[in-house]
Structures are given as structure tokens and as C-alpha cells.
């Protein structure tokens, strides 16, 4: 019988202790620990999300040593441990005046690396119960937060609730607005950037644009736009930004917690949402993680890393050796800058 506090049975990532080595192997098989997980800058513990890391550092029951260091040199937004207290800097937000704009263009040549744009739309209500979401306003910005496209959208069916308190949209805004079908065509062509949808297989080497947003399944559905998931970066679905319960955080919360300012107070501006999602994406993309060949657990080269037929071999490995062959089950956005 192996001792419960045997360091050989302790996960090298999350530090969970197991009674038997076979239990640790089972844990590594399903946990998908990797260099891409949020990690404590003090004890190096791997956490599944930044919310888990936040609880570890400053939650109701934090690790005392880590909390003490974090209170002195920790950034409450990125949760990193900085070199000194003087390295801490506040994050300022700026906004731009919003006017109708249409600068959607298709590039003739390939740019250096994939272009990144953020999209947000606001909906009004339709149907007899006024609960049917109808796209009524769309905004797209580039990585420098410049507006590329902004328009009101005329829905294909009558609007029964303008939801003015949150959208700021009035009937006169939609009376002569761009029809939904035209918006759908323009946005689809802009995102694909001259590349057929069926041909888009990777964010690297093609012309199609990386699309950033929050709740993009909803926004694209209401715009009737289809876009390959491999090109989508959704802050509502990105595992490091989700709750410990694996549910989505609101964009309002993510912006306050990780960017340090408030949005969506009163009338909601799609440009404001675009800026917030773009800043979150850029912050996640700039995470420094050790480069690995074949970084995903789904890569063919990694599919047998923890295969059941390797059980005996895996049980002879050290926890550190198992962590070295473990790979992430999600695409880390830092790979966009690789």
C-alpha cells in the first residue's frame, strides 16, 4: 500500500495528492494540464481558469504564503506577480466618438499574420411577445480599436420592442437603415477576406480574419453569418476566462475584473463591447507560455500520450515526466502570435 503523502503520487501541476499512482495517471488522463493553464506566480500551481487562480490568491481561503506575496507585488487585473510594487500600473480606458462608418474592404494580398477584428451587435425585440432578438446595430473594429464598420440594421420583420433603455435605438434609426441581408453579405465577405468559407482551415497562412467577440454564437446567428469556429475567439467560451463552474462570465464582469473599468452602464454601445473584447483577447494572446511542438491534446502526435495500453509505463513515470507529455484540451490564444 502506497503512502497517501508519497510525493510520487502528487500531481506536478495542481498539487493534488492521490493514494495510488494509478489514480494520479487517471487524473492526468482527464485533467489536460499544460503550460497554457493560468499559473500562480508564487507556488507555480496550475489552475483551470483565472477565476480559480483568483480564489487561490485572494479568495475566501487563499494559500497564505501566496496571498502575502500577491498583496505586495500582485496585479489584481492580470493576477501576475510583478518584480516590485513599483511595477504596478493602473489601466486607463479611452473611448471614441461613434458615427456611421463603412470601411469594409477585401485585401488583394496576404498581410503579415492573420488580421484580427472584433464584432458586436445589439438587438431589438420582435414577435408578438417582443422576445425575438433582431439584429439592429453592428460594429466592427480593428486591433487598434479603430472603427471599420458601424451601421444600424433594418430587421426583416417588424420591431415590437426597441429596448431603448439598453440599446438607445429609436424607430428613426432603423427607418432608412441598411437591410439585414446587405449587412450579412458585407460582413461575411469582409471576414472571409476573399477566401472561400470551405477553404478556411487554420488561422495561419490564409487571408481570413480572426474574429473576436463575446457570445458570438448569438451575434452571428442574428446576423445570419456563418464563420468557421477555428477563426473565432469568443471571450464567453474561452476556458481561462470562464467561471470555476465552467459557465460563462458576463462581458461586464470580465472588463471590470481583468481590464479595470466599467462598461454597459445604461445604454449599451457596441463599440464599447468591441473594445472590451479586443483588449481581453490581446491580453490573453500576450500570455507568455513555453513553446511546445503539437500543443493540443487532439493533435495526432499526442492522442496516445495517456492511452490505457501505456498504463504500466505511465505508472513508472514521475509526476514531472507526466506533466511534460500532458497537453491542453483547448486552443490557447497565445498560439495566435506564435
Amino acid at each position: 500500500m502506497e503512502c497517501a503523502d508519497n510525493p510520487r503520487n502528487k500531481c506536478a501541476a495542481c498539487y493534488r495528492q492521490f493514494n495510488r499512482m494509478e489514480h494520479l495517471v487517471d487524473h492526468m488522463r482527464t485533467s489536460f494540464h499544460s503550460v497554457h493553464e493560468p499559473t500562480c506566480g508564487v507556488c507555480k500551481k496550475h489552475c483551470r481558469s483565472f477565476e480559480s487562480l483568483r480564489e487561490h490568491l485572494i479568495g475566501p481561503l487563499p494559500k497564505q504564503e501566496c496571498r502575502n506575496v500577491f498583496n505586495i507585488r500582485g496585479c489584481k487585473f492580470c493576477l501576475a506577480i510583478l518584480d516590485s510594487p513599483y511595477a504596478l500600473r493602473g489601466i486607463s480606458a479611452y473611448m471614441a466618438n461613434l458615427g456611421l462608418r463603412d470601411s469594409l474592404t477585401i485585401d488583394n494580398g496576404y498581410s503579415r499574420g492573420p488580421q484580427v477584428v472584433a464584432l458586436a451587435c445589439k438587438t431589438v425585440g420582435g414577435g408578438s411577445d417582443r422576445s425575438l432578438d433582431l439584429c439592429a446595430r453592428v460594429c466592427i473594429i480593428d486591433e487598434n480599436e479603430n472603427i471599420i464598420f458601424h451601421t444600424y440594421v433594418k430587421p426583416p420583420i417588424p420591431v415590437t420592442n426597441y429596448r431603448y433603455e439598453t440599446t438607445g435605438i429609436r424607430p428613426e434609426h432603423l427607418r432608412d437603415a441598411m437591410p439585414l441581408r446587405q449587412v450579412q453579405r458585407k460582413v461575411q465577405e469582409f471576414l472571409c477576406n476573399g477566401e472561400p468559407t470551405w477553404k478556411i482551415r487554420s488561422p495561419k497562412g490564409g487571408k481570413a480574419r480572426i474574429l473576436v467577440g463575446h457570445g458570438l454564437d448569438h451575434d452571428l446567428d442574428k446576423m445570419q453569418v456563418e464563420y468557421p469556429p477555428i477563426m473565432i475567439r469568443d471571450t464567453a467560451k474561452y476556458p481561462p476566462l470562464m467561471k470555476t463552474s465552467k459557465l460563462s462570465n458576463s462581458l461586464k464582469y470580465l472588463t471590470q475584473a481583468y481590464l479595470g473599468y466599467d462598461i454597459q452602464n445604461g445604454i449599451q454601445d457596441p463599440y464599447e463591447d468591441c473594445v472590451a473584447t479586443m483588449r481581453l483577447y490581446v491580453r490573453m494572446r500576450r500570455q507568455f507560455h513555453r513553446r511546445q511542438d503539437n500543443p493540443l491534446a487532439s493533435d495526432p502526435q499526442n492522442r496516445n500520450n495517456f492511452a490505457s495500453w501505456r498504463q504500466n509505463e505511465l505508472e513508472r513515470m514521475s509526476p514531472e515526466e507526466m506533466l511534460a507529455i500532458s497537453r491542453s484540451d483547448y486552443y490557447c490564444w497565445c498560439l495566435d502570435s506564435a
Side-chain angles (χ1 to χ4, degrees):
M1 182 75 177
E2 297 184 50
C3 179
D5 60 359
N6 187 339
R8 268 189 51 78
N9 301 345
K10 185 178 182 179
C11 177
C14 66
Y15 302 155
R16 276 188 66 184
Q17 183 78 48
F18 296 88
N19 290 329
R20 301 177 63 85
M21 192 63 176
E22 63 188 83
H23 299 157
L24 173 58
V25 172
D26 290 340
H27 165 75
M28 294 300 296
R29 185 175 286 131
T30 58
S31 63
F32 300 100
H33 288 310
S34 76
V35 298
H36 298 288
E37 292 178 303
T39 304
C40 175
V42 182
C43 70
K44 308 305 178 186
K45 177 183 177 180
H46 289 224
C47 299
R48 187 59 180 173
S49 67
F50 283 102
E51 288 302 290
S52 297
L53 177 58
R54 190 182 298 276
E55 289 185 3
H56 170 77
L57 292 168
I58 53 176
L61 296 171
K63 185 175 180 181
Q64 195 62 42
E65 176 190 354
C66 299
R67 184 181 72 170
N68 292 342
V69 175
F70 185 82
N71 285 343
I72 298 172
R73 296 191 284 117
C75 172
K76 67 179 182 179
F77 301 122
C78 66
L79 303 181
I81 305 297
L82 305 178
D83 293 337
S84 75
Y86 305 105
L88 293 172
R89 294 290 184 271
I91 299 174
S92 60
Y94 68 89
M95 298 301 295
N97 292 326
L98 187 63
L100 297 182
R101 198 166 309 181
D102 184 355
S103 302
L104 299 185
T105 57
I106 296 175
D107 293 344
N108 294 322
Y110 289 76
S111 60
R112 294 182 58 188
Q115 297 180 56
V116 182
V117 297
L119 177 148
C121 79
K122 294 300 176 185
T123 59
V124 292
S128 57
D129 62 354
R130 310 196 300 177
S131 64
L132 183 63
D133 287 343
L134 305 173
C135 177
R137 191 177 177 188
V138 175
C139 183
I140 300 176
I141 68 169
D142 63 18
E143 194 168 341
N144 296 317
E145 303 175 10
N146 299 311
I147 299 170
I148 301 172
F149 181 69
H150 170 243
T151 186
Y152 289 102
V153 183
K154 188 172 186 177
I157 64 173
V159 176
T160 53
N161 182 8
Y162 286 88
R163 304 172 181 171
Y164 176 78
E165 293 78 9
T166 57
T167 67
I169 296 174
R170 298 182 182 275
E172 54 267 27
H173 291 137
L174 305 186
R175 189 170 298 125
D176 298 314
M178 190 180 296
L180 176 64
R181 183 60 60 87
Q182 185 179 353
V183 172
Q184 181 266 336
R185 178 181 56 79
K186 291 173 74 71
V187 171
Q188 184 91 54
E189 291 177 354
F190 172 74
L191 293 176
C192 294
N193 199 21
E195 196 164 357
T197 306
W198 60 267
K199 193 177 177 182
I200 301 172
R201 294 289 181 268
S202 168
K204 301 181 187 300
K207 296 168 62 179
R209 294 174 165 95
I210 290 175
L211 178 62
V212 176
H214 189 85
L216 281 171
D217 284 350
H218 173 269
D219 287 359
L220 294 177
D221 178 62
K222 299 312 167 188
M223 295 173 60
Q224 300 179 10
V225 170
E226 294 183 2
Y227 204 52
I230 197 168
M231 301 302 295
I232 291 176
R233 307 290 180 264
D234 194 332
T235 55
K237 288 185 171 184
Y238 190 50
L241 292 176
M242 297 178 77
K243 298 178 181 179
T244 54
S245 60
K246 298 184 179 179
L247 298 175
S248 298
N249 277 303
S250 68
L251 181 58
K252 182 180 178 68
Y253 170 79
L254 291 176
T255 304
Q256 196 281 327
Y258 298 105
L259 300 178
Y261 65 96
D262 292 321
I263 63 169
Q264 298 180 347
N265 296 317
I267 292 177
Q268 299 178 12
D269 192 330
Y271 173 77
E272 187 179 54
D273 291 357
C274 285
V275 169
T277 55
M278 182 63 80
R279 291 178 179 179
L280 286 166
Y281 167 76
V282 169
R283 172 157 295 183
M284 294 298 106
R285 189 183 63 187
R286 287 177 178 170
Q287 295 284 312
F288 177 76
H289 299 140
R290 179 167 52 84
R291 298 301 180 195
Q292 295 175 317
D293 294 331
N294 312 307
L296 298 177
S298 58
D299 290 338
Q301 298 86 343
N302 298 323
R303 288 176 183 168
N304 290 325
N305 284 7
F306 289 94
S308 56
W309 54 264
R310 294 187 64 187
Q311 184 73 20
N312 291 337
E313 176 190 355
L314 291 166
E315 289 184 20
R316 290 193 295 270
M317 288 184 178
S318 69
E320 290 75 20
E321 288 172 331
M322 278 192 280
L323 178 58
I325 66 170
S326 185
R327 294 294 185 268
S328 174
D329 61 343
Y330 64 88
Y331 180 89
C332 181
W333 292 349
C334 78
L335 298 174
D336 284 344
S337 59

